[in-house]
Amino acid sequence: MQKTALEHDLHKLVEKALALGASGAKTVDVASIRTGAWTRWKCQFGCPNYGKTLCCPPFVPDYAATQRFLQEFIRGIIIQYTFPLNGVAVENFAAADLSMSNGLLEILLNLEREAFLQNHYKAFALKAGRCRLCKECNLKQCVNPTKARPSLEACGIDVMALANDNGYQAEILQAAVPELKIYGLLLVE
């Protein structure tokens, strides 16, 4: 059986993700992505970053808009990014977190561009967690509009389910760990 052009392109994007430093990359049927209004509530009532970046609530599209947006895609790629914590002192965790967040974003943006160049012109990347491009977000107008992407959870996507439904083992951390894993999503076609 011969691969379709889309399957071929997705396979190349998965390979590229791994070459760029992703610890995992898999194709995903967008219809299988679980969403919920509860994710934004967790942002608003529980996250200290609520209202502090344009990539988080209340500035990002709401749950209903995300539902409509996802319906415009059939295939995508989930990206897992692993960041080693061995040797990272507690006082240096903020810098490590910044490096981890922006490392994932760099991979996602490269993949988004590659998908665009493959003629998947509506390709769009989202990542877990808040935007970390600027030390403090200019809430009047983004100063990195070509790089900033909304948070998966802020848009209503259940990141834990996305990871677990696609063969990764995302779990709530309750003790010190040697590494952290975060996730991103490239919507392709």
Side-chain angles (χ1 to χ4, degrees), residues 2-94:
Q2 188 168 340
K3 284 186 177 180
T4 66
L6 176 57
E7 289 171 341
H8 180 265
D9 290 350
L10 289 169
H11 179 74
K12 288 183 91 151
L13 290 167
V14 164
E15 288 179 342
K16 174 116 181 168
L18 296 171
L20 290 170
S23 55
K26 298 178 181 182
T27 60
V28 62
D29 290 320
V30 176
S32 73
I33 296 172
R34 291 196 255 171
T35 60
W38 66 268
T39 62
R40 283 179 65 99
W41 285 63
K42 292 284 277 188
C43 290
Q44 186 172 352
F45 303 102
C47 180
N49 298 305
Y50 179 81
K52 293 185 179 173
T53 84
L54 293 175
C55 293
C56 288
F59 304 106
V60 296
D62 65 15
Y63 171 71
T66 298
Q67 292 294 100
R68 290 189 306 273
F69 178 67
L70 289 176
Q71 289 174 359
E72 296 180 7
F73 294 87
I74 56 168
R75 300 287 284 157
I77 299 172
I78 179 175
I79 305 298
Q80 180 188 62
Y81 185 69
T82 302
F83 190 84
L85 291 176
N86 291 337
V88 175
V90 172
E91 61 271 11
N92 296 330
F93 182 76

Side-chain angles (χ1 to χ4, degrees), residues 113-185:
R113 177 160 173 68
E114 185 69 25
F116 179 83
L117 293 174
Q118 290 176 347
N119 205 34
H120 301 289
Y121 54 87
K122 66 182 188 180
F124 193 81
L126 300 104
K127 71 173 213 51
R130 68 184 172 108
C131 181
R132 301 292 307 271
L133 290 170
C134 301
K135 186 173 183 176
E136 186 174 331
C137 185
N138 176 353
L139 295 176
K140 295 191 187 325
Q141 182 175 354
C142 182
V143 297
N144 287 296
T146 62
K147 294 180 179 178
R149 295 296 182 274
S151 161
L152 286 163
E153 51 271 75
C155 294
I157 295 172
D158 184 338
V159 178
M160 296 288 277
L162 176 66
N164 289 323
D165 290 350
N166 287 284
Y168 298 108
Q169 292 183 305
E171 59 189 3
I172 304 300
L173 302 176
Q174 297 182 17
V177 293
E179 61 190 19
L180 289 177
K181 296 177 188 302
I182 58 172
Y183 298 90
L185 177 65

Side-chain angles (χ1 to χ4, degrees), residues 91-107:
E91 61 271 11
N92 296 330
F93 182 76
D97 185 47
L98 173 68
S99 180
M100 177 178 63
S101 179
N102 288 340
L104 173 61
L105 180 61
E106 184 177 328
I107 291 169

